[in-house]
Amino acid sequence: MAVGGIVVSANGGNYEGRVTPFVVITCIVAATGGLIFGYDIGISGGVTSMDEFLMKFFPSVYHKEKNMSGRESQYCKFENHLLTLFTSSLYLAALISSFFASATTRKFGRRMSMTIGGLIFLLGAILNGAAMNVEMLIIGRLLLGVGIGYTNQSVPVYLSEMAPPKLRGALNIGFQMAITIGILAASFINYGTSHMRENGWRVSLGLAAVPAVIMSVGAVFLPDTPNSLIERGQREQARDMLQKVRGTTNVDAEFSDLVEASEASQQVQHPWKTFLERKYRPQLVITCLIPFFQQLTGINVIMFYAPVLFKTLGFGDDASLMSAVVTGLVNVFATVVSVICVDKFGRRALFLEGGIQMIICQIGVGCLIASVFGVTGLDGAFSKGMGNLALALICVYVAAFAWSWGPLGWLVPSEIHPLEIRSAGQSVNVSVNMFFTFIIGQLFLTMLCNMKFGLFFFFGGWVLVMTIFVYMFLPETKNMPIEEMNRVWKAHWFWGKYIPEDAVGLGNHKNAQDV
């Protein structure tokens, strides 16, 4: 039985339909694509803090960590470019594969890209679990990256297209929720495997096959979106699917808008070149800057280096892994806040509140570390009280990210593009995200060694910049039908001049809210 009522946009078309169990279940299954990304983020830092893993693959790091001479700075004991390459090589592969995923998604549908991504990730998980040398580890990581590039390109687009406008935010954030669940599961697994007498790291890495199987099997049974079916010339199937996902036979208005968008899309032979045209300038700028800013919040270095970071701050082995579990729990519960609030209060409100909260926490953590370790990092240790305060500040920071830049960094770029550049736009989003994840991941331990506590002020400064940018240049997109998003840009004080009067989705609407 369907739930909900009329699907009404804030100022757009009144699309009749209901929020059906079918569309909710479909979006939940699709969102499991985030599990593989989250599991990898969570598992990497835990594995690289395990002594057995370090002794086998990175012995120089192991000996530096155990150096008790007092001559080794706390800030620098994990610095090793080969170790960071193990973590960050995945993101370079994801960057490159996202461009191939764009062509696959456009030609064969969103579901095909999800299936391919899950299977390639499964192969990488098997290779990593069986790794005998660093080369096997890196090759396995590259395969994991290819899988993530495909799924991260296709899943957010799938969710944005399948969901009704008034629940698009909540259902799309299911992807981020799956990421946080993957991170949390990895943290628990790392804590358990760290107590195994041997090969605990193999279990941690090999269990990445589980979310890969869930993703691959789930994708096989998913329907393709009406938008994708129309784009590939299957209009009757698209109408049937639209009726099914909306829970009504009266879908003429929405179907007409989808067909109009598709016809405009078919005229575009070179979407990458088209994306650079002036009329798509708002989408291009937002699609590049949102993922760029997301990485400069510093969140990924905290999430996939959490155990290493906590060990650097003086926590013991068990304490560092359990602290990562605590931050993982905070991450999951705070994402629930975003699911509840995103379609009620809007994207901008969450971005702005989360940004202010992150700035305060970054400054607090930086000051705390400075007071304990000073500039040299040779002396000092966290007391229990100071350690708990540092953990609390990091948890409040993670919560702020989890209901703002975490889910919205994927949601907003996936919902702002017209159909003709949607696959290309999402590929740009993924590639920029992965490129800067790679750069920050590769440089983090070196930056920590050289910038010391100032690293947290560095990220805090960037959060201030991105919060101002959102306030000035990001319009509100909640409740707007995805094929009418040009009306949001046309009404904006800055971006409106780039949108032509005959842009798809404007129609005869003249009273768009000034956002």
Side-chain angles (χ1 to χ4, degrees), residues 51-52 54-55 58-67:
D51 289 346
E52 183 188 5
L54 292 175
M55 283 190 293
F58 306 99
S60 62
V61 177
Y62 173 78
H63 293 302
K64 184 189 292 187
E65 180 201 352
K66 300 302 180 183
N67 181 10

Side-chain angles (χ1 to χ4, degrees), residues 293-303 362 397 440 459:
F293 285 147
Q294 187 190 54
Q295 294 313 306
L296 285 172
T297 61
I299 187 65
N300 271 350
V301 298
I302 286 179
M303 295 314 295
Q362 292 277 27
Y397 163 82
I440 297 297
F459 286 127

Side-chain angles (χ1 to χ4, degrees), residues 5 9 11 19 27 111 128 160 166 190 211 216 251 266 275 290 321 358 386 448 456 463 495 502-503:
S9 71
N11 293 292
V19 182
C27 287
R111 183 179 65 174
N128 267 181
S160 287
K166 69 175 182 179
N190 277 335
S216 303
V251 295
Q266 297 303 321
F275 196 18
I290 290 293
L321 288 169
M358 283 192 288
M386 293 286 273
L448 180 61
F456 294 91
V463 176
W495 300 118
D502 60 348

